[in-house]
Amino acid sequence: MFSTLELDVRPGSGLGMFEIGGSLWNILDTLRSLQHCFPQVDVKYDPDTPTTPIILHLRPHLDLLFSGHHQRLHTISVRKLRDPNPPLTLTYKNAVLSSSQDALKKVRVSRMFGPTYPGDDLRYPGISFSFNDESTGDAPKGSTLHSNDRQQEVERIIISQKSPEEGPQDTLYEVTECPCMTGELCRAVVKVHEGVSLYFYPSKSEPVPVALGSSTAQDLMVDLGSPLRIHYKEDDRMTIHSRTSQPDGSEDGDYFYNYHQHGIDFLISGTTHTVKKIILHTNIPGTPLFQRYKRCPWEIEGHPEDDEDESPPRKKFFESVEEIQHFLAPGEAPPSMILNRADDEEGLRLPSSTTRLFGYDGVILEATESGQVVSVMLF
């Protein structure tokens, strides 16, 4: 026996606990806590495209489409309105719009939402309704057809942002800035050897600078709030590749501030408590760290071509590792190291668990075999 799933419809804004513009990371985290309501969640994506749109199938009623670049909820599709597993009840302005016992038909949509432009679907700002043509049966032509047409049963409901232009919003467009993004990371501008400038929503907010070697743990607390996790550095396997000899235990006491909600880690010195390293995560589907971190929309800034250049060149998170390598150091790419994160997780099987590490002066790129950059580390 399934309990009824009750969701309120908000055209252009959301459905139930799902807000248009919400991040993939936040929504999947919410779904983990609602497994009694959504026991089966399928994640669909194109593994060869860094900016692939992502679809969450919440069987049997909901499909959630997320934008490719910033992984934000773009479109909500509601279907199988009368499927009883579980029963679904939709409300609009505190009135029942649809339930598993009472089919939603075109006439009720018109009564609740009012007039709209002609067409096969009923389209309103932020919401549209499509119909099952077979639900009217074989009606004769004339006025009887019009009467039966009003009894067409709704097959699918689509909720998306209200478009400034007439017609539905293109599914490949990014979600425009909306209130649910407030306080979340908009972009991170990286300067090698220096640090990162963090820009938050609202987009006109002043950036938060984090400088290597000078910003402190206290600065991070003040500017970013408490991290979701703090842990001491235990993995020192990379020190074997260090060109400088360091006495054993020289990094004892170093610790990480993990801001999973921004897609960033900071390694803090255990002695000076200043930032030693910054790691920015891209949250690529199918990789071992997918969904452990929200996507950080980083940009690596280069040097301006001349003193009058107010727009220095940048390479962004969705560009291929080959393009970014050429941007950092034109010429032959350095040899790479192979990292298999599945080695640390017993029983973990993923289509792309192996990545490559490319080291440059002040920055390390971690990339998949298909050339997508998983993370950037500054030191």
Side-chain angles (χ1 to χ4, degrees), residues 14 73 124 140 184 279 339:
L73 183 56
Y124 300 89
E184 297 187 1
I279 307 171
L339 172 65

Side-chain angles (χ1 to χ4, degrees), residues 61-65 75-79 156-159:
H61 299 296
L62 303 179
D63 295 322
L64 309 180
L65 172 67
T75 302
I76 302 170
S77 172
V78 190
R79 54 193 172 85
R156 187 180 297 267
I157 302 173
I158 301 293
I159 301 171

Side-chain angles (χ1 to χ4, degrees), residues 59-295:
R59 299 182 187 275
H61 299 296
L62 303 179
D63 295 322
L64 309 180
L65 172 67
F66 292 81
S67 62
H69 282 79
H70 292 282
Q71 295 183 341
R72 292 194 173 276
L73 183 56
H74 182 288
T75 302
I76 302 170
S77 172
V78 190
R79 54 193 172 85
K80 296 186 177 180
L81 302 183
R82 301 186 69 184
D83 191 313
N85 302 307
L88 175 66
T89 297
L90 300 178
T91 62
Y92 175 63
K93 293 185 176 180
N94 299 319
V96 174
L97 176 65
S98 169
S99 70
S100 57
Q101 293 81 26
D102 191 8
L104 177 59
K105 298 183 179 180
K106 180 178 283 189
V107 62
R108 182 184 296 177
V109 174
S110 297
R111 285 173 183 167
M112 297 189 73
F113 288 85
T116 188
Y117 298 100
D120 292 335
D121 298 342
L122 291 183
R123 299 185 182 277
Y124 300 89
I127 192 169
S128 66
F129 301 84
S130 59
F131 300 90
N132 183 354
D133 292 334
E134 298 177 359
S135 62
T136 57
D138 297 326
K141 295 182 179 181
S143 60
T144 307
L145 175 63
H146 176 72
S147 176
N148 284 354
D149 180 68
R150 297 173 69 244
Q151 298 302 315
Q152 280 185 304
E153 189 172 336
V154 173
E155 186 175 46
R156 187 180 297 267
I157 302 173
I158 301 293
I159 301 171
S160 60
Q161 276 194 322
K162 296 179 180 180
S163 175
E165 301 175 359
E166 293 296 338
Q169 191 180 48
D170 193 306
T171 55
L172 296 180
Y173 288 173
E174 286 296 307
V175 181
T176 57
E177 186 173 340
C178 53
C180 73
M181 300 179 186
T182 300
E184 297 187 1
L185 188 62
C186 175
R187 59 193 172 103
V189 179
V190 171
K191 292 186 178 181
V192 179
H193 299 303
E194 297 181 24
V196 62
S197 295
L198 305 176
Y199 294 78
F200 292 88
Y201 291 108
S203 54
K204 294 183 179 180
S205 303
E206 289 296 317
V208 175
V210 180
L212 290 167
S214 61
S215 292
T216 65
Q218 185 176 4
D219 293 333
L220 297 178
M221 285 280 195
V222 171
D223 292 332
L224 304 179
S226 298
L228 294 187
R229 184 174 180 235
I230 301 174
H231 74 281
Y232 285 92
K233 182 182 179 186
E234 298 175 350
D235 188 351
D236 61 354
R237 289 173 292 182
M238 289 297 290
T239 57
I240 194 172
H241 298 285
S242 176
R243 295 181 180 179
T244 59
S245 58
Q246 295 181 344
D248 291 341
S250 64
E251 295 188 348
D252 284 353
D254 287 1
Y255 53 98
F256 282 97
Y257 273 12
N258 304 120
Y259 288 90
H260 300 274
Q261 72 274 33
H262 300 316
I264 306 176
D265 294 326
F266 299 98
L267 178 63
I268 312 295
S269 168
T271 54
T272 64
H273 301 287
T274 56
V275 175
K276 293 177 66 174
K277 296 178 181 178
I278 303 171
I279 307 171
L280 312 173
H281 299 273
T282 316
N283 196 36
I284 294 178
T287 59
L289 295 183
F290 174 64
Q291 198 50 25
R292 295 191 187 183
Y293 295 86
K294 185 184 291 187
R295 168 163 287 179

Side-chain angles (χ1 to χ4, degrees), residues 338-356:
I338 296 177
L339 172 65
N340 192 332
R341 292 187 180 274
D343 291 342
D344 297 328
E345 304 281 351
E346 290 293 335
L348 180 64
R349 297 291 182 270
L350 290 171
S352 56
S353 61
T354 300
T355 55
R356 292 183 177 272

